[in-house]
Amino acid sequence: MNEITHARFPRQPTQGAEGLPRWRWTLAEFDKMIESGLLTEDDRVELIDGELVPMAAKGNRHELVKTELINWMFRRLGVNEMLTVELGWRPGGDLYVEPDVVIYGRGPMPSQVPAPDTLLVIEISDSNLRYDLDRKAMIYASLGVREYRVIDATTLETTVHLDPAPDGYRNIATVPSHGTVTPHLLPALALSLGGLAIG
């Protein structure tokens, strides 16, 4: 049998050779790689602009902040609001991303929620803060995500992105850990991250 297994052939990310052409992957091809077992949950990749992008490893601090935050939010959401963690999201085109938190209205399949219908999208960052503030913010803005937040897992600062446009968010503000952040579409989730039980 000639099967390729992760144990025998682990994949390592490489740095792109700038200026050289690359094969562009479609979402349909990406899904076929998952169905065939070529990609598994252990691979932790996103499909961005036709390229498979490895996601940064999530450290203990990231997981602690995420756990405290989602437990706090779950207790305050209304019956018509859904919260999904690390959703395998296909928000449009040839994109597959896994935001830490997506909140949306009850109804559509979670993986196919249209970006403009999301109520709040959150990324919690430790080692990939610059990527989430720059590249991810541009992607979410171009898709029409109305409110996007990036939480720095180390400092608990929250960067709030509002008013999406094709060329980026028009309203960006950073709130310190002791400040209160109120989601425009979810006022019941007003929160000061410094008040959570995060050591």
Side-chain angles (χ1 to χ4, degrees):
M1 198 140 184
N2 210 10
E3 289 183 29
I4 297 176
T5 65
H6 288 271
R8 290 179 52 215
F9 302 102
R11 280 183 293 284
Q12 298 295 322
T14 63
Q15 196 67 26
E18 295 308 317
L20 295 177
R22 302 174 191 159
W23 281 346
R24 182 178 181 87
W25 298 97
T26 67
L27 185 57
E29 291 167 333
F30 178 80
D31 286 336
K32 284 180 183 174
M33 285 190 277
I34 294 172
E35 290 167 13
S36 70
L38 188 59
L39 288 177
T40 71
E41 289 181 2
D42 294 334
D43 288 309
R44 296 194 41 74
V45 296
E46 295 182 320
L47 181 65
I48 307 286
D49 294 335
E51 295 184 338
L52 297 178
V53 179
M55 296 172 64
K58 298 184 178 183
N60 291 336
R61 179 74 177 179
H62 175 281
E63 295 303 298
L64 174 62
V65 172
K66 182 179 71 176
T67 299
E68 290 294 334
L69 179 64
I70 62 174
N71 283 321
W72 186 91
M73 288 180 159
F74 268 130
R75 293 192 296 268
R76 288 159 179 82
L77 285 175
V79 294
N80 293 317
E81 295 152 354
M82 303 292 290
L83 184 155
T84 303
V85 178
E86 294 181 6
L87 171 67
W89 191 27
R90 293 158 169 82
D94 285 327
L95 276 172
Y96 173 90
V97 290
E98 293 186 2
D100 286 306
V101 177
V102 178
I103 302 177
Y104 52 96
R106 187 177 295 277
M109 285 286 294
S111 65
Q112 297 172 359
V113 175
D117 292 351
T118 58
L119 303 174
L120 182 61
V121 174
I122 300 173
E123 296 282 7
I124 300 165
S125 299
D126 38 22
S127 60
N128 59 337
L129 181 62
R130 182 53 44 203
Y131 180 75
D132 287 340
L133 288 171
D134 294 340
R135 184 89 180 267
K136 279 283 188 73
M138 286 297 296
I139 291 167
Y140 291 147
S142 68
L143 291 168
V145 170
R146 293 177 284 178
E147 183 165 355
Y148 168 54
R149 290 189 192 173
V150 178
I151 297 172
D152 184 325
T154 303
T155 66
L156 298 182
E157 284 185 344
T158 302
T159 304
V160 180
H161 301 75
L162 299 167
D163 194 11
D167 59 345
Y169 283 96
R170 301 192 190 285
N171 185 346
I172 302 171
T174 300
V175 180
S177 63
H178 60 271
T180 298
V181 183
T182 304
H184 283 16
L185 301 172
L186 296 163
L189 297 186
L191 171 66
S192 171
L193 283 173
L196 290 180
I198 301 171

